[in-house]
Amino acid sequence: TEVTEKLEEAVMIWIKQIRQVLVESEQMRREADDIGPAAELEHWKTRMSSFNSLLDEIKSSRVKKIISILQAARSKTLKQWKELDGNITIAANEAKDNVRYLYTLDKFFGPLAKASPVTMMEHVPSLMHTVCMIYCTSPYYNTSERMTSLLLKITNQMINTCKTYLREG
């Protein structure tokens, strides 16, 4: 019983820490007003890395042993643990999926950032087609909030490219 209590205390600390990670990941991001679309991909890559590390830890043999001991003891903390384990898996899948979809835009980031306005405009139809494809097929990225954020970053990059062109021209 004493061992079970100590293990439950450890799991409750983990639960608190994991909840904190989940809460922080869902908070609004503060970003510069002129940030481009490459930052969106970087955000999701960082998030994917964080959640994958967390999943690796949760699936480690040490954690599995503790959970199996608590299962044998019929611990009440396991209900919360299983729920959080599912939430972490969902968050990791979302980040992985978003990275996969945003990588389809990666080929446009260079032309958006370095081309002249005329050359940049040649890429806009296929860029918008790809954004539309992401909206239509992504199970996670198809919200108006996510699309607005992405389109805002694309617009910011186009404006910055035009400003640079005008300054250098």
Side-chain angles (χ1 to χ4, degrees):
T1 313
E2 192 176 316
V3 172
T4 304
E5 285 177 15
K6 291 286 183 199
L7 293 177
E8 283 179 334
E9 286 174 20
V11 169
M12 287 309 290
I13 290 169
W14 296 344
I15 287 170
K16 186 178 178 184
Q17 290 171 336
I18 291 170
R19 279 194 178 132
Q20 185 64 33
V21 169
L22 286 167
V23 165
E24 287 173 8
S25 74
E26 291 302 317
Q27 289 176 343
M28 287 291 290
R29 300 186 324 227
R30 286 189 171 69
E31 299 172 322
D33 290 340
D34 61 350
I35 198 163
E40 187 74 2
L41 176 58
E42 285 307 311
H43 165 76
W44 286 105
K45 283 168 55 178
T46 302
R47 191 167 162 168
M48 180 178 75
S49 176
S50 298
F51 282 117
N52 284 342
S53 295
L54 192 52
L55 273 180
D56 289 345
E57 189 64 33
I58 287 172
K59 304 218 182 308
S60 71
S61 61
R62 180 177 66 100
V63 172
K64 284 183 174 182
K65 285 176 189 169
I66 292 171
I67 297 303
S68 62
I69 292 168
L70 291 177
Q71 283 172 331
R74 301 196 191 297
S75 172
K76 300 216 184 308
T77 58
L78 290 180
K79 183 180 179 195
Q80 292 177 66
W81 176 257
K82 285 180 180 169
E83 180 185 330
L84 278 180
D85 188 7
N87 290 345
I88 291 294
T89 302
I90 289 168
N93 288 340
E94 175 187 27
K96 180 182 170 187
D97 199 64
N98 288 349
V99 166
R100 186 169 54 100
Y101 279 100
L102 289 171
Y103 259 123
T104 63
L105 295 174
D106 196 39
K107 64 183 174 234
F108 298 106
F109 296 164
L112 274 182
K114 297 176 180 84
S116 71
V118 173
T119 309
M120 180 177 55
M121 290 310 295
E122 293 171 7
H123 295 279
V124 170
S126 53
L127 169 65
M128 289 297 113
H129 177 75
T130 304
V131 169
C132 183
M133 184 268 311
I134 291 171
Y135 181 76
C136 292
T137 58
S138 172
Y140 300 104
Y141 217 83
N142 62 355
T143 66
S144 61
E145 179 184 329
R146 295 247 163 85
M147 278 292 128
T148 300
S149 175
L150 178 61
L151 290 169
L152 178 67
K153 289 175 176 107
I154 289 169
T155 304
N156 287 342
Q157 186 63 64
M158 294 170 80
I159 291 168
N160 289 336
T161 300
C162 290
K163 282 180 180 177
T164 302
Y165 179 81
L166 290 172
R167 268 184 253 145
E168 293 172 1

